[in-house]
Amino acid sequence: MTPSAVSLEAVTARFAGPGGTEYTAVEGVTLDVAEGAFVSLVGPSGCGKSTLLNMAAGLLAPSVGTVRIFGDPLRGINRRATCMFQQEALLPWKTVLDNVTLSLTFRKPRERKQSEELGRLWLKRVGLEEFADRFPYQLSGGMRKRVAMAQNWIAGPDILLMDEPFSALDIHTRLRMEGEILNLWAGSNKTVLFVTHDLEEAIALSDEVLVLSAGPAGRLVGRYPVDLPRPRNLIDIRAEPRFADLYRSIWTDLREEVLKSYERADYERRHAS
Amino acid sequence: MNAPKHSPWIWVGQAAIGASALGLWEWGARAGTLDKFFFSRPSDVAARVWQWVTSGSIWPHLGVTLLEALLAFTIGVFLGVLLGFLLARTPTAAVLLEPYIRMFNALPRVVLAPIFLLWFGLGIWSKVTLGVTVVFFIVFFNTYRGVKEVDPVIVNNARMLGASESQLIRHVLVPSALTWIFSSLHISIGFAMISVVVGEYLGSSKGVGYVISQAEGVFDTTGVFAGMTVLAAVVLMVGAAVERLERWLLRWKPESPIRAGERDL
């Protein structure tokens, strides 16, 4: 059996809280993502979704447990993955082209010419070839996300980590971006771990949806294979009966966790004063 | 830069304010409202500056002052950027040194001038040292803050894309701190000039500060004002050059907050 692309083995993340207290973001989470799969991680806000993603990225070491990437224990940054963040992560002082080729600048600083060619190819692929010499501030939010997408894919990672990458976009731009991600991913054999709080987005895109419990000390409460056929039409998929069935069955679990997170937020608000 | 600043009317208005202030001064001095002995006259000051420039007597002094300021600025910026980076990247060192840096920064630098005169003599180095102590702290604090306030998401993204520590400094931390460093360069240029002139004023045999102090010693108000005029003109020219450089280096910014702030000054 081939090892999973990403596997978290009983990982726990604790942080130092205010006044010497300890905050447990996630506790004893075990999950694995098969190579080439598109897996989404959903859960109410504050459940530790991003914490799990940061552990897979190697940006955060688990307090307890092991992270394995293709079977090997992860130490330091995950060199086989890139991460698309929710916030803007482009370098504002570099042009669009220089941003897209950033990973090549880091890894092959001598091969500027080839990097530039490849960069222009990717810009064409995301429909931004005329914007190569602009700076990020001169682009719209959706265009900047496209640049970030090209920046991630050009690095040729085996694993793509995405932390609510489209949550700041309007619904139409978001649909288009989701479609573009699926097109790029289809047949690439790349593994995607996609964090979102939007269950519809998770079902529409993924092979499998993982539900996390409300934080603190978030746990994995359910795994749901999504057997919708591919390629998927993201505009119409939400109207399909099978989509509605899946949505209902996952939502019963997620709903409970969302309600718990509300209760906890109310409790904390009352006790904060 | 927005439109109103470039409008010719703004320019005319600015010129009118300056002209009327000078006119009032000139008129007051001529009418006897202002004592010419204490206040001189703009026309006399202009004549003196003109005489200094045409006779060439001001150039060696200006040269010395500029050399001192340039050295103070260069050394101060170099040390400030270097130490700012080092301390921002090594938190332990920052914690250990913090009280001492604050203490030295709290010290009014003018009181150091006599000490430096004793240590380094009447030549240029006592002035350069004084200037360095002023420039260093401005640049140091801004660099430190600039490096500290880099967006962690940008840093994480660069690390995920394969940046080594030195690449991180070159491609992410330095450019990110540049805005802060540049806002300090603006101020530092002026302060470098001021501190070396103060140094010259307190004890030297050359420089614009020396010229001013000599004029003051013989109650030559015109000479004092003329010295000030020369200084102001030079600082403005150097400042404009720095601003050009800055505009080029920060061309990725939609509207530089530095210039926005400067307009408020």
Side-chain angles (χ1 to χ4, degrees):
Chain A
M1 203 186 106
T2 50
S4 305
V6 179
S7 66
L8 307 183
E9 296 168 0
V11 291
T12 296
R14 293 199 186 92
F15 299 100
T21 55
E22 211 174 49
Y23 175 79
T24 308
V26 291
E27 184 147 31
V29 172
T30 297
L31 66 85
D32 52 332
V33 183
E35 187 175 356
F38 198 123
V39 173
S40 288
L41 209 51
V42 294
S45 35
C47 71
K49 301 181 293 259
S50 300
T51 309
L52 289 178
L53 204 75
N54 282 341
M55 284 199 241
L59 293 168
L60 175 75
S63 320
V64 182
T66 319
V67 179
R68 284 180 194 277
I69 303 300
F70 292 102
D72 300 324
L74 178 65
R75 275 182 210 90
I77 293 286
N78 184 348
R79 292 275 165 222
R80 300 185 69 171
T82 61
C83 189
M84 237 179 120
F85 296 90
Q86 179 182 5
Q87 306 95 318
E88 295 288 338
L90 298 177
L91 297 180
W93 44 85
K94 286 197 186 280
T95 61
V96 166
L97 183 63
D98 287 345
N99 263 297
V100 168
T101 56
L102 198 60
S103 62
L104 306 174
T105 310
F106 292 151
R107 287 172 189 168
K108 301 167 186 164
R110 270 162 233 285
E111 301 168 22
R112 271 212 69 73
K113 232 184 135 75
Q114 291 98 306
S115 302
E116 214 164 277
E117 268 170 40
L118 196 58
R120 288 193 191 278
L121 196 75
W122 269 98
L123 279 179
K124 200 166 187 171
R125 212 170 282 180
V126 295
L128 292 173
E129 64 263 56
E130 306 121 78
F131 297 93
D133 299 323
R134 303 278 186 92
F135 287 104
Y137 82 89
Q138 295 166 313
L139 307 184
S140 69
M143 287 155 104
R144 284 200 290 266
K145 281 292 169 200
R146 282 210 183 88
V147 176
M149 211 149 80
Q151 183 188 55
N152 275 263
W153 283 82
I154 205 173
D158 298 315
I159 303 163
L160 274 137
L161 305 170
M162 303 203 190
D163 189 359
E164 305 197 22
F166 309 135
S167 59
L169 300 177
D170 67 83
I171 185 70
H172 303 293
T173 316
R174 190 167 163 177
L175 264 176
R176 283 187 60 184
M177 298 296 295
E178 289 168 359
E180 283 175 39
I181 280 283
L182 278 190
N183 285 341
L184 284 172
W185 170 76
S188 69
N189 200 38
K190 290 187 195 299
T191 310
V192 179
L193 184 55
F194 193 94
V195 160
T196 178
H197 59 257
D198 180 350
L199 184 54
E200 282 192 25
E201 183 180 44
I203 298 173
L205 297 177
S206 326
D207 296 324
E208 189 177 32
V209 176
L210 309 180
V211 177
L212 276 175
S213 74
R219 293 165 298 107
L220 201 60
V221 293
R223 311 180 62 139
Y224 303 86
V226 178
D227 49 8
L228 296 166
R230 293 192 190 268
R232 295 177 187 169
N233 179 343
L234 292 177
I235 310 247
D236 300 328
I237 201 170
R238 286 168 170 81
E240 280 178 30
R242 183 68 195 127
F243 185 93
D245 288 348
L246 280 164
Y247 187 89
R248 242 191 323 273
S249 71
I250 305 176
W251 179 242
T252 34
D253 276 2
L254 189 56
R255 181 179 172 276
E256 231 168 274
E257 299 306 329
V258 170
L259 288 177
K260 264 190 243 166
S261 79
Y262 285 172
E263 272 167 34
R264 182 159 296 276
D266 284 343
Y267 175 85
E268 274 167 8
R269 208 174 304 128
R270 271 198 305 275
H271 287 256
S273 55
Chain B
M1 293 283 140
N2 42 15
K5 195 158 191 194
H6 282 298
S7 140
W9 288 111
I10 294 291
W11 198 85
V12 168
Q14 286 174 335
I17 291 172
S20 50
L22 286 177
L24 210 63
W25 180 7
E26 181 79 34
W27 172 82
R30 279 183 193 279
T33 323
L34 295 172
D35 191 332
K36 209 184 133 195
F37 179 77
F38 291 112
F39 293 94
S40 184
R41 276 195 323 214
S43 53
D44 289 351
V45 173
R48 180 70 63 86
V49 172
W50 181 247
Q51 181 216 322
W52 281 351
V53 170
T54 47
S55 74
S57 67
I58 193 68
W59 300 129
H61 293 294
L62 196 57
V64 166
T65 302
L66 278 175
L67 176 69
E68 289 164 350
L70 190 73
L71 283 170
F73 179 73
T74 316
I75 299 171
V77 168
F78 177 76
L79 291 177
V81 170
L82 190 74
L83 221 72
F85 256 95
L86 278 177
L87 289 200
R89 298 301 284 169
T90 47
T92 326
V95 171
L96 286 175
L97 291 177
E98 198 206 327
Y100 300 101
I101 290 172
R102 288 195 182 284
M103 193 177 84
F104 280 115
N105 188 42
L107 203 67
R109 247 45 61 80
V110 184
V111 302
L112 291 175
I115 297 282
F116 290 150
L117 276 176
L118 284 174
W119 289 353
F120 303 107
L122 289 174
I124 67 167
W125 291 106
S126 54
K127 286 86 192 169
V128 172
T129 315
L130 185 66
V132 168
T133 61
V134 175
V135 172
F136 167 78
F137 284 101
I138 303 171
V139 178
F140 167 78
F141 284 118
N142 277 286
T143 306
Y144 183 79
R145 196 163 161 193
V147 176
K148 277 277 172 194
E149 292 197 355
V150 177
D151 187 346
V153 173
I154 286 185
V155 174
N156 282 342
N157 190 44
R159 286 171 71 203
M160 290 301 295
L161 293 171
S164 64
E165 179 72 9
S166 67
Q167 286 170 329
L168 204 60
I169 289 179
R170 187 177 144 209
H171 292 280
V172 182
L173 300 178
V174 171
S176 171
L178 258 190
T179 324
W180 290 91
I181 295 175
F182 260 103
S183 69
S184 66
L185 294 193
H186 256 84
I187 306 164
S188 308
I189 286 270
F191 272 95
M193 287 293 275
I194 291 168
S195 34
V196 303
V197 169
V198 167
E200 287 165 358
Y201 184 83
L202 291 176
S204 66
S205 52
K206 269 201 187 83
V208 179
Y210 166 79
V211 172
I212 293 176
S213 119
Q214 289 297 100
E216 197 189 318
V218 295
F219 300 107
D220 173 15
T221 351
T222 309
V224 175
F225 278 120
M228 281 168 26
T229 309
V230 170
L231 265 185
V234 171
V235 171
L236 278 180
M237 278 190 275
V238 177
V242 171
E243 198 178 324
R244 278 187 83 109
L245 177 67
E246 177 204 321
R247 207 176 305 165
W248 184 76
L249 279 170
L250 298 184
R251 65 196 180 286
W252 50 271
K253 285 216 140 200
E255 163 82 348
S256 164
I258 299 163
R259 271 193 293 279
E262 197 182 59
R263 213 173 299 142
D264 298 335
L265 277 178

